[in-house]
Amino acid sequence: MLLSFYIHIILLISFAIFSVVTLTFIKRIYTENNLLSSTPPASIRDTQIEFRSLANGTNKSPSNASVARNDESDLRENIFGSAKAKNSILDRLTFINPPNTVCIYPDNTENYMIIIVLSRALNFDFRQAIRATWGRNEKYKGYNTIMKTIFFVGTDDSVQLAVRLEQARFNDVIEIVIPENYAFVAHKELASLLWTRLYCPLARIVFRADDDILMDTFSLLNFIKHDLNLNVNDGLYGWFRLNNSVHRGDRWAVTRMEYKPNTYPPYTFGVGYLFSNSSCQRLLNAANQPNHQIVRIGDAYITGILRDLAGIPFYDFHDLEFSYTFHDQLPCDEYFMDNPRLLLCMSKLHLGIREDLFEFYDTWDIILSKHNTSLSDASY
Ligand SMILES: *[C@@H]1O[C@H](CO)[C@@H](O)[C@H](O)[C@H]1NC(C)=O
Ligand SMILES: *[C@@H]1O[C@H](CO)[C@@H](O)[C@H](O)[C@H]1NC(C)=O
Ligand SMILES: *[C@@H]1O[C@H](CO)[C@@H](O)[C@H](O)[C@H]1NC(C)=O
Ligand SMILES: *[C@@H]1O[C@H](CO)[C@@H](O)[C@H](O)[C@H]1NC(C)=O
Ligand SMILES: *[C@@H]1O[C@H](CO)[C@@H](O)[C@H](O)[C@H]1NC(C)=O
């Protein structure tokens, strides 16, 4: 009697949880559709058909998207050619590009910076906020650097159509053919480098960021203008940690089979680091070895292990800082107001708490006024 009572209670609770999850999901899909409804309607159907044919590999469509897809093997051949290792992990990393070219070179590619943003396929709203704030494709007054932000998402069947509409609309989302799953973060990160090498090799500066950070773009541009000389100090720039031990026992554990040493080579936080196109190539060459193994911890792998294998020097961001805000209650905008050296701020968004994207916009307003800039006079 009592037992069946409990079973009923448990069933009720499960049903409640199920309903909430379903509702949240439906609500999300609905918001995403709204978000994308600003897409010009004319081309949507064509795009869908085109992408379907991309997905099943029958590249009959003469559009540039198919061309790009077909060319990928040629590009690989050109770049790795005879240096291509048997069993290279790089062969297993492939992409679905938007219909039009993503990387459009300016006259002077020495001043071209691409910002690689690793994003979850579901995070449409984050990407939209970044396009409008710190990741604007701009050339700001007073700086030579020309910025282009490119988002890399994994494959997530539940939102694939929406992602492809977004690709067609904004031409800045690359789909990496890897499941959207924590275990593959390092694969995604390596894939974003490979894409850059294949499709945007002449962008001299590459900045890698997460989609849940807030950034003072002008601090980055000032750093590039005053402190960066890749022809003299070509390396990887970040906030390096030395002697970080390899975790063997917790949730992010890496086994001895995966990585034997007890400490990682110096590595920096994955949330924001900078390197040159030639370092990008060297990192990929280091990964392009027979039976090279990816270690799952993305930042330790790329900026530590692979960087070390490639013999790329590391440098700290001169005079720039980052902060977390999720341990205390101070929001990122206050950090930006108080600290002139703050480059990056990781807000609660970083913990997956995502109710409030106004933070992107509020912080951006503060950053603009901090640098005496308004967008009307920001670029030319
Ligand atoms: C591939 O997509 C095209 C266009 O939608 C469709 O006609 C064709 O049947 C598909 N082929 C396969 C093998 O799925
Ligand atoms: C496709 O590529 C050609 C050059 O290869 C270019 O002239 C044309 O404008 C492109 N079309 C689209 C729709 O991007
Ligand atoms: C890196 O970019 C510069 C400037 O755009 C270019 O001259 C150089 O060839 C590129 N290097 C590689 C390895 O692609
Ligand atoms: C890192 O560890 C090694 C050996 O354990 C030690 O010799 C070295 O001084 C350490 N470096 C730093 C910066 O702590
Ligand atoms: C912005 O303007 C104020 C007042 O004119 C000045 O004190 C400040 O130094 C300026 N800041 C920057 C970053 O130019």
Side-chain angles (χ1 to χ4, degrees), residues 222 369-372:
N222 279 329
S369 65
K370 213 170 127 173
H371 294 275
N372 293 343

mmCIF file with all atom_site columns, all heavy atoms in Angstrom, residues 222 369-372, ligand 5:
data_model
loop_
_atom_site.group_PDB
_atom_site.id
_atom_site.type_symbol
_atom_site.label_atom_id
_atom_site.label_alt_id
_atom_site.label_comp_id
_atom_site.label_asym_id
_atom_site.label_entity_id
_atom_site.label_seq_id
_atom_site.pdbx_PDB_ins_code
_atom_site.Cartn_x
_atom_site.Cartn_y
_atom_site.Cartn_z
_atom_site.occupancy
_atom_site.B_iso_or_equiv
_atom_site.pdbx_formal_charge
_atom_site.auth_seq_id
_atom_site.auth_comp_id
_atom_site.auth_asym_id
_atom_site.auth_atom_id
_atom_site.pdbx_PDB_model_num
ATOM   1  N N   . ASN A 1 222 ? 44.419 47.734 -28.602 1.00 0.00 ? 222 ASN A N   1
ATOM   2  C CA  . ASN A 1 222 ? 45.559 48.499 -28.086 1.00 0.00 ? 222 ASN A CA  1
ATOM   3  C C   . ASN A 1 222 ? 46.777 47.613 -27.898 1.00 0.00 ? 222 ASN A C   1
ATOM   4  O O   . ASN A 1 222 ? 47.904 48.007 -28.202 1.00 0.00 ? 222 ASN A O   1
ATOM   5  C CB  . ASN A 1 222 ? 45.202 49.143 -26.744 1.00 0.00 ? 222 ASN A CB  1
ATOM   6  C CG  . ASN A 1 222 ? 44.414 50.424 -26.938 1.00 0.00 ? 222 ASN A CG  1
ATOM   7  O OD1 . ASN A 1 222 ? 44.601 51.128 -27.936 1.00 0.00 ? 222 ASN A OD1 1
ATOM   8  N ND2 . ASN A 1 222 ? 43.530 50.726 -26.005 1.00 0.00 ? 222 ASN A ND2 1
ATOM   9  N N   . SER A 1 369 ? 32.111 53.556 -23.652 1.00 0.00 ? 369 SER A N   1
ATOM   10 C CA  . SER A 1 369 ? 32.300 54.867 -23.031 1.00 0.00 ? 369 SER A CA  1
ATOM   11 C C   . SER A 1 369 ? 33.659 54.952 -22.346 1.00 0.00 ? 369 SER A C   1
ATOM   12 O O   . SER A 1 369 ? 34.282 56.013 -22.316 1.00 0.00 ? 369 SER A O   1
ATOM   13 C CB  . SER A 1 369 ? 31.158 55.172 -22.058 1.00 0.00 ? 369 SER A CB  1
ATOM   14 O OG  . SER A 1 369 ? 31.188 54.270 -20.993 1.00 0.00 ? 369 SER A OG  1
ATOM   15 N N   . LYS A 1 370 ? 34.143 53.812 -21.846 1.00 0.00 ? 370 LYS A N   1
ATOM   16 C CA  . LYS A 1 370 ? 35.471 53.791 -21.259 1.00 0.00 ? 370 LYS A CA  1
ATOM   17 C C   . LYS A 1 370 ? 36.522 54.240 -22.273 1.00 0.00 ? 370 LYS A C   1
ATOM   18 O O   . LYS A 1 370 ? 37.510 54.870 -21.922 1.00 0.00 ? 370 LYS A O   1
ATOM   19 C CB  . LYS A 1 370 ? 35.761 52.343 -20.853 1.00 0.00 ? 370 LYS A CB  1
ATOM   20 C CG  . LYS A 1 370 ? 36.603 52.154 -19.642 1.00 0.00 ? 370 LYS A CG  1
ATOM   21 C CD  . LYS A 1 370 ? 36.576 50.680 -19.261 1.00 0.00 ? 370 LYS A CD  1
ATOM   22 C CE  . LYS A 1 370 ? 37.974 50.145 -19.125 1.00 0.00 ? 370 LYS A CE  1
ATOM   23 N NZ  . LYS A 1 370 ? 37.989 48.771 -18.596 1.00 0.00 ? 370 LYS A NZ  1
ATOM   24 N N   . HIS A 1 371 ? 36.308 53.898 -23.511 1.00 0.00 ? 371 HIS A N   1
ATOM   25 C CA  . HIS A 1 371 ? 37.284 54.262 -24.551 1.00 0.00 ? 371 HIS A CA  1
ATOM   26 C C   . HIS A 1 371 ? 36.825 55.474 -25.348 1.00 0.00 ? 371 HIS A C   1
ATOM   27 O O   . HIS A 1 371 ? 37.276 55.676 -26.485 1.00 0.00 ? 371 HIS A O   1
ATOM   28 C CB  . HIS A 1 371 ? 37.536 53.062 -25.469 1.00 0.00 ? 371 HIS A CB  1
ATOM   29 C CG  . HIS A 1 371 ? 38.212 51.933 -24.762 1.00 0.00 ? 371 HIS A CG  1
ATOM   30 N ND1 . HIS A 1 371 ? 39.569 51.847 -24.602 1.00 0.00 ? 371 HIS A ND1 1
ATOM   31 C CD2 . HIS A 1 371 ? 37.704 50.859 -24.116 1.00 0.00 ? 371 HIS A CD2 1
ATOM   32 C CE1 . HIS A 1 371 ? 39.874 50.766 -23.913 1.00 0.00 ? 371 HIS A CE1 1
ATOM   33 N NE2 . HIS A 1 371 ? 38.763 50.141 -23.606 1.00 0.00 ? 371 HIS A NE2 1
ATOM   34 N N   . ASN A 1 372 ? 35.913 56.225 -24.769 1.00 0.00 ? 372 ASN A N   1
ATOM   35 C CA  . ASN A 1 372 ? 35.410 57.444 -25.416 1.00 0.00 ? 372 ASN A CA  1
ATOM   36 C C   . ASN A 1 372 ? 34.944 57.189 -26.837 1.00 0.00 ? 372 ASN A C   1
ATOM   37 O O   . ASN A 1 372 ? 35.181 57.988 -27.727 1.00 0.00 ? 372 ASN A O   1
ATOM   38 C CB  . ASN A 1 372 ? 36.503 58.533 -25.440 1.00 0.00 ? 372 ASN A CB  1
ATOM   39 C CG  . ASN A 1 372 ? 36.827 59.016 -24.042 1.00 0.00 ? 372 ASN A CG  1
ATOM   40 O OD1 . ASN A 1 372 ? 36.056 58.788 -23.101 1.00 0.00 ? 372 ASN A OD1 1
ATOM   41 N ND2 . ASN A 1 372 ? 37.958 59.684 -23.896 1.00 0.00 ? 372 ASN A ND2 1
HETATM 42 C C1  . LIG B 2 .   ? 38.249 59.846 -22.389 1.00 0.00 ? 5   LIG B C1  1
HETATM 43 O O1  . LIG B 2 .   ? 37.959 61.195 -22.169 1.00 0.00 ? 5   LIG B O1  1
HETATM 44 C C2  . LIG B 2 .   ? 38.254 61.643 -20.855 1.00 0.00 ? 5   LIG B C2  1
HETATM 45 C C3  . LIG B 2 .   ? 37.761 63.072 -20.717 1.00 0.00 ? 5   LIG B C3  1
HETATM 46 O O2  . LIG B 2 .   ? 37.931 63.788 -21.884 1.00 0.00 ? 5   LIG B O2  1
HETATM 47 C C4  . LIG B 2 .   ? 39.758 61.521 -20.596 1.00 0.00 ? 5   LIG B C4  1
HETATM 48 O O3  . LIG B 2 .   ? 40.064 61.913 -19.294 1.00 0.00 ? 5   LIG B O3  1
HETATM 49 C C5  . LIG B 2 .   ? 40.158 60.054 -20.800 1.00 0.00 ? 5   LIG B C5  1
HETATM 50 O O4  . LIG B 2 .   ? 41.553 59.913 -20.661 1.00 0.00 ? 5   LIG B O4  1
HETATM 51 C C6  . LIG B 2 .   ? 39.728 59.550 -22.144 1.00 0.00 ? 5   LIG B C6  1
HETATM 52 N N1  . LIG B 2 .   ? 39.991 58.137 -22.199 1.00 0.00 ? 5   LIG B N1  1
HETATM 53 C C7  . LIG B 2 .   ? 40.550 57.518 -23.237 1.00 0.00 ? 5   LIG B C7  1
HETATM 54 C C8  . LIG B 2 .   ? 40.738 56.056 -23.135 1.00 0.00 ? 5   LIG B C8  1
HETATM 55 O O5  . LIG B 2 .   ? 40.895 58.133 -24.221 1.00 0.00 ? 5   LIG B O5  1
#
